[in-house]
Amino acid sequence: MGTGKLRVLLGAAPGVGKTYTMLEEGRRLKDEGKDVVVAVVETHDRAATSAMVEGLEIIPRRSIEHRGVELAEMDLSAVLDRHPDIALVDELAHTNAPGSTHEKRWQDVRDLLDAGITVFTTVNIQHIESLNDVVEQITGITQRETIPDSVLRAADQIEVVDLAPQALRDRLSGGLVYPAARIDAALSNYFRLGNLTALRELALLWLADEVDSALQKYRAEHGIDSKWEARERVVVALTGGPEGEALIRRGARIAARSAGGEILAVHVSGQEGLREPHPGALAAQRTLVEKLGGSYHQIVGDDIPQTLVDFARASNATQLVIGVSRRSRLFALLTGQGVGQTVIRESGDIDVHIVTHQAAGTHQLVLPRARGALSAKRLITGFALAIVLGPALTGALWYFRRPEALASDTLAFQLLVVVVALTGGIWPALFAAVLSGLTLDFFFVEPYYTITITDPLHLLALLLYVIGAALVSFVVDQAARRTRAARRSAAESEVLATVSGSVIRGRDAIAALVFRTREAFGLSAVSLRDTNGTLLYQEGQPEENEQATVQPVGDRGFLELYGPELPASNRRILTVIATQLQAALEHRDLTDTAEQLKPLAETDRVRTALLAALGHDLRRPLAAATAAVTSLRSPEITLGDHDRDELLETAQASLENLNTLVTNLLDVSRVQAGVLAVNLVEVEVEDVLPSALEELGIAPGQVVLDIHDPVPPVRADPVLLQRVLVNLLANALRFTTAPPVLSVSSFDNHVEIRVVDTGPGVPDDRKDSIFEPFQREGDTDNTTGIGLGLALSRGFVEGMSGTLAADDTPGGGLTMVVSLPIVDGTEDA
């Protein structure tokens, strides 16, 4: 039996038409003869969506009772037994009721796929796990139902059901998405034009990235190296010189010419380098490219042009931007073609832009930068210079030959030896020294055209010349070796600095280290595993049957490196990275341990505060009650009826406050310990309001009620909800300058209860701390309490799977917002 196909319809927000499109496609396939069933669909009483269901076979749902509430869920077993060709499953991110086969609906879908059933499903962008925090920043709403990115990435087909933001608002205003009672709240909250625009962009960008990943995978599987211009991708080569900013801005302008253009800045570190970077220049240029929406990359390579081209091809770049050479004409004449010319020759179908700048042609004459002190290319070049320049110099000097010019001729050949030594090292220079010595004797020392030397002084001069040339060759070769080592160390330092920068900039340390390891050494993939072989993190995808090189990571695990074999010179920096990975893994374990201990520390803090409260705040009502009772029982005090009643009222009020304080202390202990008993049932919020108002003894006109009818029932504990409302209303009445407003409305899959006052409000930096135990605003008295009300309220609300947050009241004041899930709250289509 084969595996079924997964097709996902992705939407930016509820109401764009995902469910309608899914049903429409199901009807079309049914007309073509396919066996299509509706496994589960949520029409939300939308007429157009309900009409699309007609004519399709519907698998009856399974009824599950939870805390006295009947919940209808997809019957997974029934769908598997029916085994259609295609199953329509709405709302992929839905959380199943307790007692279901799986916790999440996407797990049900996985079983259907494994059974060979093709699944069409829907999901909104806010439910993708990696985007959860971004969506919360945009909308201000925390999404509790999420789906792992890997589930969506494994889909065979993903489509965006797109609708312009204003068109969606118009659809919402026309009552095509929500009932009339929910329209105003939706338009002023989640469905604001800015929110919808940002969510739409987020959905399109996410899909574009997935398409790009699929394209890269296809190219890798089919061995396609040539670039495909799906969109402009501009690589900017940085040397660390002052021209870097101009190159980055030029690259950004090129990328901006097409929609979705991307800019990648790259600096190659190696013993040869593009050029030695100016101090701080690369850091500033990295900041600039990130401000322009690009990414910065640091790689190691000895052959600079080839490394650049390889990086551009691996990135599927369409454009490559480099600066015009800073070498002077004389330097270019002596050392041959530079990086730019080689890049142009090797770039193939990648367009190369050579950008001029103020530093062009200002490079001073310095030692040539060959590939290395003892590289084969450098040796060959040195021998070639000796063979080519030797005869050329001999011909030029022979043409102007005079007996008295022997000294100048010797110096000319000495210069040739130095040039060869600078280029090829000691062996080509020794060859040039011997060859030039024989040439001097044969052409410029009498008798001419023989190796015979008649003058002993000439023999001595020739021997001294050869010895001097050999010493110069040795010194130059040693200097080249030390220069190579120094440049290698600098390159390693740059790579390590880039790795550290990635961690400091907020990236996960382990992920940053693995990513930079793969990038720095040009590997196809890098995997980090623990000592048991369990995969902890992987960057890239190794090719089929590709062998891995193993690098131990202390006693924490090991790295698997896929790609070319690393030379011994790179092992040192790899060992350093492995050490950093070991430290990162240890830090992660310590962090996890600290997180486990945090509740204990919090419990200890609360216990300390409780003891302080017992020693101070409970003393006041207890002392007041004791004093009142003592006065009543004292035979030495004569009390009138009015005084007696007043003392009794004081004692009663103090004891009631004492009872409330003890109850709150016990409840906050239960909340902190996580043992609060919550009885979740279906609750009508309107039924709880009268009890809360009666408990506070609120007279008509003291609170303004604003209830949007009808409000769906919520899943809550009515006793705890009443206590939450009592606490919030008591605070509002204490601080407000006008009657507080208590409003109830439904939005998306939640009911919001807002307690609005017009008091002094709370500063932004205090909006979180007011929910901590023993936090009070203003002075205290015998009726104020000990600062547990809001802490208890938040604990009660969170125990009911809701949220409690503080917001500013327009015009001044504080608004407390309680959000509770509705009984049939699910993701809208």
Side-chain angles (χ1 to χ4, degrees), residues 132 275 281 363 399 567 574 626 641 647 677 722 753 806 818:
N132 188 256
R275 286 292 184 268
H363 194 288
Y399 183 78
L574 182 60
T626 301
D641 293 340
L647 288 173
Q722 178 179 331
I753 306 172
V818 178

Side-chain angles (χ1 to χ4, degrees), residues 415-625:
L415 178 61
L416 171 64
V417 173
V418 171
V419 171
V420 173
L422 292 174
T423 305
I426 186 169
W427 298 113
L430 288 175
F431 171 74
V434 173
L435 183 63
S436 59
L438 294 175
T439 302
L440 276 171
D441 179 43
F442 190 83
F443 287 101
F444 301 99
V445 177
E446 295 179 348
Y448 299 129
Y449 312 121
T450 66
I451 304 299
T452 304
I453 301 176
T454 57
D455 190 342
L457 291 178
H458 287 175
L459 177 60
L460 178 61
L462 186 60
L463 290 175
L464 291 176
Y465 162 76
V466 173
I467 294 173
L471 291 176
V472 169
S473 302
F474 177 77
V475 171
V476 171
D477 183 74
Q478 291 299 310
R481 290 174 182 270
R482 289 184 174 86
T483 301
R484 180 188 186 193
R487 289 175 177 170
R488 184 71 195 180
S489 299
E492 293 174 355
S493 299
E494 289 176 11
V495 172
L496 292 176
T498 303
V499 171
S500 302
S502 298
V503 176
I504 293 173
R505 288 167 185 266
R507 292 192 59 176
D508 176 71
I510 297 175
L513 288 167
V514 175
F515 172 77
R516 292 299 180 183
T517 300
R518 177 190 175 220
E519 183 180 73
F521 299 116
L523 301 172
S524 59
V526 175
S527 301
L528 174 63
R529 298 182 182 274
D530 62 16
T531 52
N532 298 322
T534 304
L535 181 64
L536 300 179
Y537 190 83
Q538 179 169 311
E539 183 66 38
Q541 190 67 33
E543 298 179 1
E544 188 175 357
N545 298 325
E546 187 174 15
Q547 297 297 318
T549 302
V550 176
Q551 171 65 39
V553 182
D555 57 353
R556 295 283 174 171
F558 56 90
L559 282 172
E560 292 179 339
L561 310 174
Y562 297 90
E565 184 71 21
L566 296 182
S569 58
N570 285 338
R571 287 290 179 175
R572 181 175 60 180
I573 187 173
L574 182 60
T575 302
V576 174
I577 293 177
T579 303
Q580 291 187 348
L581 267 173
Q582 180 182 4
L585 290 171
E586 292 175 353
H587 181 267
R588 185 195 64 176
D589 294 343
L590 291 174
T591 301
D592 292 343
T593 303
E595 288 296 327
Q596 295 173 3
L597 294 177
K598 187 179 295 184
L600 298 178
E602 179 67 16
T603 301
D604 184 68
R605 187 188 68 83
V606 172
R607 184 183 296 110
T608 301
L610 288 174
L611 293 175
L614 289 170
H616 178 267
D617 293 280
L618 296 184
R619 186 181 303 164
R620 290 182 289 106
L622 186 61

Side-chain angles (χ1 to χ4, degrees), residues 728 732 741 743 752-759 761-762 767 770-771 804-818:
L728 298 182
V741 177
S743 69
E752 289 188 350
I753 306 172
R754 294 174 175 265
V755 179
V756 184
D757 68 54
T758 56
V762 176
K767 282 189 173 64
I770 60 174
F771 292 103
L804 173 60
D807 199 0
D808 293 325
T809 301
L814 186 66
T815 298
M816 305 300 292
V817 183
V818 178

Side-chain angles (χ1 to χ4, degrees), residues 231-309:
R231 58 175 170 172
E232 291 288 359
R233 191 174 273 108
V234 182
V235 171
V236 179
L238 299 179
T239 68
E243 74 279 2
E245 292 189 4
L247 299 182
I248 292 171
R249 289 191 169 90
R250 175 61 64 87
R253 290 195 296 270
I254 295 173
R257 293 173 185 170
S258 64
E262 183 179 355
I263 179 173
L264 301 87
V266 57
H267 174 70
V268 181
S269 298
Q271 63 264 29
E272 305 308 327
L274 279 174
R275 286 292 184 268
E276 290 299 325
H278 293 206
L282 280 176
Q285 291 164 15
R286 174 176 184 163
T287 301
L288 175 61
V289 75
E290 290 176 350
K291 284 182 179 179
L292 294 174
S295 58
Y296 177 85
H297 304 265
Q298 182 101 14
I299 58 178
V300 174
D302 293 337
D303 189 338
I304 304 303
Q306 191 60 51
T307 302
L308 280 175
V309 173

Side-chain angles (χ1 to χ4, degrees), residues 9 54 67 168 202 242 289 519 541 633 685 759 809:
L9 299 177
E54 296 179 2
R67 297 183 183 273
L168 179 55
L202 196 62
V289 75
E519 183 180 73
Q541 190 67 33
R633 297 190 61 186
V685 177
T809 301

Side-chain angles (χ1 to χ4, degrees), residues 639-696:
L639 299 173
D641 293 340
H642 176 73
D643 294 333
R644 184 179 297 275
D645 291 340
E646 186 172 326
L647 288 173
L648 288 173
E649 289 179 1
T650 299
Q652 181 179 0
S654 298
L655 292 174
E656 288 177 352
N657 288 335
L658 183 62
N659 179 66
T660 300
L661 292 176
V662 172
T663 301
N664 286 342
L665 287 171
L666 293 175
D667 285 339
V668 78
S669 298
R670 296 188 184 100
V671 170
Q672 294 291 333
V675 295
L676 179 68
V678 181
N679 181 29
L680 292 179
V681 296
E682 182 176 333
V683 177
E684 297 285 350
V685 177
E686 298 95 322
D687 296 340
V688 180
L689 297 182
S691 301
L693 297 176
E694 181 180 354
E695 181 176 341
L696 287 170

